[in-house]
Amino acid sequence: MKKLCATILCLVLCLGLLPAQAAGPEVSAKAVLLMEKTTGEVLYEENSHEPLELASVTKVMTMLLIMEALDEGTITKETMVPVSATAAGMGGSQVYMKEGEEFSVHDMLKAIAVASGNDACVAMAEYLAGSESSFVEKMNARAAELGMENTVFCNCTGLPAEGHHSSAYDIALMSRELILHHPDIRDYTTIWMDTLRDGAFQLANTNKLIRFYDGATGLKTGSTDAALYCLSATAEKEGMELIAVILGSPTSADRFDTAKALLNYGFAGYALVTVAPSEPIPPVEVTLGTAPSVQPVLTQDSQLLLAKADAAKVSTTIDLADTLQAPVEQGQELGNLTVLVDGKETQTLPLVAQEGVPRLTLWQVYRGMLETLFCGV
């Protein structure tokens, strides 16, 4: 399989579809994938679409739905969440919540992100959706929205359940959604040690990369007898954040070593380059308008993921209309900015009107003629 993957990778590189890059690291896990957060581009993968058990990496989706509820205002971090008998009775990793106890959403997130508390997951699921089963329906619906085609959730914890599976690629998709749109999750996933119950209960992060890998930002570990050792690891260096997913690693140490190898591979070989015009963008002349010209601008910042060897080879060209006739609408496309890497076109970005320019009224045209006539006398 590895020889086949290597052959395909070589063919892709020869066709120029990806920047040339050294072969990826040797791995012993069942499946791995390395993704860049901003662009969503995959840098390395093996068996990335194979459905596999994912254990507590499931909790990435649980945390995503909690963070979305926070953004929607359904809950706040100070909201107190009761613990039911069902939640308190969860097996596996837990923080030993008792029936009738209440914890803030803030503490629930700590329990989930740091200690992988199954009891905290179920308590949050019941609070947000009425029952764990209803919450799982939301998990599967969100997975479908994200394009997670090889994922089925049967619970919110990752405890063994028939049919509960995902893939390295799908896990990268939900991990990216979480860290891209909810960066505050780092407040929890980067905790190494903390406490609950006013210091009475100690928490230690199950993700050892948080302490032992420079730039680590999260995200979630998982392990069961069937799933073996799993991990969605995130780290940021020089403004670029990577997601390394490992499924079915034979030992705990191996999953962390594999994550380090994947992350090192990405950081050593790739860089995010912000696209900017090589020269100032000139204004476009406007006829019959209340202003003589309009300024074209890029609609948004654009970043390219490039092999580091190509990062200094980025250039741009500008193609704009010579003149425009009013009215010009704000946001109206005026031309484009073409991005080239080593002389080859890689991306085209629209240039749009920074502001609108209304058309002159008849009175304004007449008044302008009079001013020109009398000023010229």
Side-chain angles (χ1 to χ4, degrees), residues 55-92:
S56 284
V57 178
T58 297
K59 296 180 174 83
V60 172
M61 180 60 81
T62 301
M63 290 190 290
L64 174 60
L65 294 188
I66 294 171
M67 295 303 290
E68 289 179 343
L70 283 167
D71 281 358
E72 293 163 2
T74 305
I75 53 174
T76 70
K77 290 181 181 179
E78 293 73 36
T79 298
M80 298 304 294
V81 178
V83 179
S84 70
T86 301
M90 297 304 300

Side-chain angles (χ1 to χ4, degrees), residues 40-122:
E41 290 191 39
V42 175
L43 305 183
Y44 186 81
E45 59 186 323
E46 289 189 21
N47 303 325
S48 64
H49 294 283
E50 182 180 349
L52 294 167
E53 294 189 48
L54 67 160
S56 284
V57 178
T58 297
K59 296 180 174 83
V60 172
M61 180 60 81
T62 301
M63 290 190 290
L64 174 60
L65 294 188
I66 294 171
M67 295 303 290
E68 289 179 343
L70 283 167
D71 281 358
E72 293 163 2
T74 305
I75 53 174
T76 70
K77 290 181 181 179
E78 293 73 36
T79 298
M80 298 304 294
V81 178
V83 179
S84 70
T86 301
M90 297 304 300
S93 56
Q94 56 187 297
V95 293
Y96 302 99
M97 294 179 172
K98 298 177 181 178
E99 182 182 359
E101 274 193 297
E102 287 190 336
F103 292 85
S104 67
V105 170
H106 171 72
D107 281 348
M108 288 289 189
L109 277 169
K110 278 201 298 185
I112 296 168
V114 180
S116 197
N118 293 328
D119 40 8
C121 284
V122 173

Side-chain angles (χ1 to χ4, degrees), residues 10-351:
C10 288
L11 288 172
V12 170
L13 292 174
C14 291
L15 291 171
L17 300 178
L18 286 174
Q21 179 67 359
E26 288 291 322
V27 300
S28 54
K30 292 181 180 179
V32 300
L33 181 136
L34 181 67
M35 177 182 284
E36 192 280 317
K37 178 190 73 174
T38 300
T39 63
E41 290 191 39
V42 175
L43 305 183
Y44 186 81
E45 59 186 323
E46 289 189 21
N47 303 325
S48 64
H49 294 283
E50 182 180 349
L52 294 167
E53 294 189 48
L54 67 160
S56 284
V57 178
T58 297
K59 296 180 174 83
V60 172
M61 180 60 81
T62 301
M63 290 190 290
L64 174 60
L65 294 188
I66 294 171
M67 295 303 290
E68 289 179 343
L70 283 167
D71 281 358
E72 293 163 2
T74 305
I75 53 174
T76 70
K77 290 181 181 179
E78 293 73 36
T79 298
M80 298 304 294
V81 178
V83 179
S84 70
T86 301
M90 297 304 300
S93 56
Q94 56 187 297
V95 293
Y96 302 99
M97 294 179 172
K98 298 177 181 178
E99 182 182 359
E101 274 193 297
E102 287 190 336
F103 292 85
S104 67
V105 170
H106 171 72
D107 281 348
M108 288 289 189
L109 277 169
K110 278 201 298 185
I112 296 168
V114 180
S116 197
N118 293 328
D119 40 8
C121 284
V122 173
M124 284 300 309
E126 291 174 339
Y127 188 83
L128 289 173
S131 66
E132 184 185 7
S133 60
S134 295
F135 187 80
V136 170
E137 290 179 8
K138 293 178 180 293
M139 293 172 69
N140 284 312
R142 194 71 181 94
E145 291 171 357
L146 293 174
M148 297 168 62
E149 296 180 354
N150 293 300
T151 297
V152 176
F153 294 117
C154 297
N155 57 53
C156 66
T157 60
L159 285 169
E162 185 176 355
H164 187 99
H165 61 257
S166 188
S167 67
Y169 179 74
D170 286 2
I171 291 167
L173 289 180
M174 68 176 176
S175 299
R176 176 176 183 254
E177 183 73 11
L178 179 59
I179 63 175
L180 182 64
H181 297 294
H182 307 280
D184 287 355
I185 196 64
R186 286 186 181 192
D187 295 343
Y188 302 96
T189 58
T190 57
I191 294 172
W192 175 237
M193 299 191 75
D194 208 322
T195 62
L196 291 176
R197 301 184 179 94
D198 298 322
F201 188 86
Q202 299 292 319
L203 300 175
N205 204 319
T206 58
N207 182 4
K208 306 312 176 188
L209 295 181
I210 296 302
R211 183 174 181 184
F212 299 110
Y213 188 82
D214 182 37
T217 56
L219 190 61
K220 192 68 200 72
T221 60
S223 65
T224 64
D225 290 343
L228 301 179
Y229 293 90
C230 307
L231 174 66
S232 178
T234 57
E236 182 175 24
K237 293 182 181 180
E238 299 178 354
M240 180 172 72
E241 192 163 12
L242 300 179
I243 303 160
V245 179
I246 297 93
L247 293 178
S249 203
T251 68
S252 179
D254 183 82
R255 68 175 162 184
F256 293 124
D257 288 342
T258 300
K260 291 177 186 177
L262 287 167
L263 293 169
N264 289 340
Y265 167 80
F267 288 126
Y270 294 89
L272 271 181
V273 178
T274 300
V275 172
S278 303
E279 56 188 29
I281 303 175
V284 175
E285 181 182 347
V286 177
T287 60
L288 299 177
T290 58
S293 63
V294 63
Q295 181 61 49
V297 294
L298 285 169
T299 55
Q300 59 184 18
D301 291 336
S302 179
Q303 292 184 301
L304 289 176
L305 181 69
L306 299 173
K308 284 190 174 180
D310 292 330
K313 301 177 183 178
V314 178
S315 61
T316 61
T317 61
I318 295 172
D319 181 25
L320 286 172
D322 293 328
T323 61
L324 293 168
Q325 189 175 99
V328 177
E329 299 292 331
Q330 184 178 21
Q332 179 178 325
E333 190 165 327
L334 307 180
N336 57 66
L337 179 81
T338 301
V339 183
L340 304 98
V341 178
D342 199 17
K344 297 180 181 178
E345 182 177 329
T346 61
Q347 190 177 38
T348 300
L349 304 172
L351 294 168

